[in-house]
Amino acid sequence: MALIVQKYGGSSVADTQSLQRVARRIVQTRQAGHQVVVVVSAMGDTTDDLIDMAAELNAHAPAREMDILLSAGERISMSLLSMAISAQGVPAMAFTGAQAGIRTDAKYGKAQIVGMVPERIARVIRDNNVAIVAGFQGVNDAEDVTTLGRGGSDTTAVALAAALHADVCEIYTDVDGLFTADPRLVPTARALHSLDYEETLELAANGAKILHLRAVEFARRYRVPLHVRSSFSDKDGTWIAQGPAPKSLRGIVPAKALEEENVEAPIISGIAHDRSQEKLTVVGLPDRPGVAADLFAAVAKVGANIDMIVQNISEARPGRANISITMPAEDIPGVMEELQHEKSALDFIRIDHDTNVGKVSLVGAGMRNNPGISACFFQALSDAGINVDIISTSEVRISVLISLDRLDDAVLAIHKAFDLDSEETEAVVYGGTGR
């Protein structure tokens, strides 16, 4: 018998028919002799609909009230799913994040989990019931509801799995696991049977939307095995861990995951792309020690997440430098306001804002020991006539910033250059956006 935490995204619980299908899968897992804890997202586009309604009423709605509002979507889906499971003869109980013991800080809309006390959940599964937990939410020290930001249900599931010492955390979505590229863009993308945490982190951090970055970080820190699969099919999916799966999961995880020597280690694992970022260039900064530190201190004040950084010495302005940074589009307004406020202190000339940028990344643990990867990567972009703006690398990743209108072309060109196409049937996208 294994303890399994299952997470279902919005497209998996989009309507009552979908909820019944998910309930059948949960009941089957339970009937196979396993203990089950389930984390659910809001149904379909519920969160977006709630945001739109709030905007109609108040363009600057208080963050605390927004978190109370947005947490409602998961509460609806958890209750309905519990009812669907009970209707199939298996006792189930639904819990909010607060009831499940998920404690967070007070950063409304982007709260971080600071503690887990899932005593009620542990009691429920000891009594042989199924526990259904609302994802994406917790409670802070003031007993106010908080939300974890987009993709927060993934983090909820992994955190619960860690606290409960679960054998595996299954992430159910609307595609059959992780692929060498987004199958919505590259239908011939190859399914990945297994990955390690490092590769998965790079894919998640650079635009792959199947897993949330914080969830993967949590999984790596606490060594929670992840199994990404579709709620719409019975295909094997992708196993993410360091080492083989425990024997207690035989019949649950891919057979290849049960033996360490069979876990694949390809040179290139996949390609990620990101349309969500924009670029700021601070032009004419004094070229002296401490200026960059002051610049990034100003950016940090507004809590922006910087991705790529490049500095160029200005030939036209001796003693001056330009610093370009990329970050999520939603962070741009706050950063620009703060930088303008600090303009006199930073002594720069102007800020250029570029929205027509996209990032494409090549990821693979085998890159560190295989020369020629970079040459092939940049040759593919050159052959496609795609110019590179910024380059960023790690031991297992190459990322470039390019024109947004060439992003799709870049992904397709790189995927073909590294011969990543599947020889089997095309990947299936069952619906929704992959979350």
Side-chain angles (χ1 to χ4, degrees), residues 182-199:
D182 186 342
R184 295 165 182 77
L185 177 56
V186 186
T188 56
R190 185 187 307 161
L192 298 170
H193 294 293
S194 59
L195 286 170
D196 62 26
Y197 292 119
E198 185 179 18
E199 293 169 301

Side-chain angles (χ1 to χ4, degrees), residues 311-333:
Q311 177 173 321
N312 296 313
I313 302 301
S314 176
E315 294 183 0
R317 301 182 180 89
R320 295 278 176 169
N322 304 332
I323 295 181
S324 294
I325 55 178
T326 66
M327 65 188 72
E330 64 263 23
D331 290 341
I332 293 286

Side-chain angles (χ1 to χ4, degrees), residues 8-300:
Y8 293 91
S11 58
S12 297
V13 293
D15 50 37
T16 53
Q17 183 178 0
S18 299
L19 285 164
Q20 289 173 329
R21 182 183 62 250
V22 166
R24 285 193 294 271
R25 185 181 290 271
I26 294 167
V27 169
Q28 288 170 359
T29 305
R30 173 74 168 64
Q31 290 173 340
H34 303 296
Q35 295 176 315
V36 186
V37 176
V38 180
V39 174
V40 288
S41 298
M43 298 171 65
D45 297 323
T46 299
T47 301
D48 290 330
D49 292 341
L50 291 172
I51 291 172
D52 291 342
M53 284 190 283
E56 288 183 19
L57 297 171
N58 187 338
H60 303 286
R64 177 185 179 277
E65 312 311 314
M66 283 297 297
D67 273 12
I68 293 174
L69 172 68
L70 297 183
S71 67
E74 281 71 20
R75 294 175 66 145
I76 293 169
S77 55
M78 75 174 191
S79 303
L80 291 174
L81 181 58
S82 179
M83 295 173 191
I85 294 170
S86 297
Q88 296 186 32
V90 172
M93 295 181 67
F95 299 89
T96 65
Q99 291 171 325
I102 300 171
R103 311 295 301 190
T104 75
D105 60 23
K107 296 177 182 176
Y108 297 111
K110 293 183 179 181
Q112 300 275 343
I113 295 175
V114 297
M116 297 288 299
V117 191
E119 293 179 356
R120 295 187 69 182
I121 306 303
R123 288 200 301 269
V124 167
I125 58 178
R126 279 199 302 269
D127 292 339
N128 224 15
N129 298 328
V130 174
I132 313 295
V133 179
F136 177 65
Q137 62 187 260
V139 63
N140 63 23
D141 287 343
E143 299 301 324
D144 284 336
V145 173
T146 56
T147 64
L148 309 180
R150 288 289 187 177
S153 292
D154 289 354
T155 308
T156 303
V158 178
L160 269 174
L164 294 168
H165 305 290
D167 294 278
V168 65
C169 179
E170 295 186 325
I171 305 293
Y172 284 93
T173 179
D174 61 3
V175 291
D176 294 312
L178 294 174
F179 289 78
T180 50
D182 186 342
R184 295 165 182 77
L185 177 56
V186 186
T188 56
R190 185 187 307 161
L192 298 170
H193 294 293
S194 59
L195 286 170
D196 62 26
Y197 292 119
E198 185 179 18
E199 293 169 301
T200 309
L201 270 173
E202 292 284 10
L203 288 169
N206 290 283
K209 291 183 171 58
I210 300 302
L211 281 171
H212 192 261
L213 176 60
R214 282 194 291 167
V216 183
E217 290 174 336
F218 227 111
R220 181 177 67 169
R221 185 184 313 155
Y222 295 101
R223 288 294 185 261
V224 177
L226 302 177
H227 184 199
V228 183
R229 58 195 308 198
S230 173
S231 64
F232 297 83
S233 78
D234 293 319
K235 293 188 177 180
D236 280 347
T238 306
W239 175 256
I240 300 165
Q242 298 297 134
K247 301 301 182 183
S248 61
L249 294 178
R250 188 178 299 277
I252 297 292
V253 303
K256 291 182 179 180
L258 294 167
E259 299 295 336
E260 189 167 14
E261 60 268 25
N262 289 332
V263 176
E264 297 176 356
I267 296 174
I268 300 301
S269 296
I271 301 165
H273 67 280
D274 189 353
R275 307 178 194 275
S276 68
Q277 300 203 14
E278 297 178 1
K279 182 178 75 168
L280 291 181
T281 300
V282 185
V283 179
L285 283 160
D287 184 25
R288 63 172 183 262
V291 172
D294 292 339
L295 170 67
F296 292 114
V299 174

Side-chain angles (χ1 to χ4, degrees), residues 362-386:
L362 184 72
V363 176
M367 292 171 60
R368 57 168 66 97
N369 297 317
N370 286 271
I373 299 296
S374 297
C376 182
F377 179 81
F378 288 104
Q379 188 63 54
L381 294 174
S382 174
D383 291 344
I386 297 171

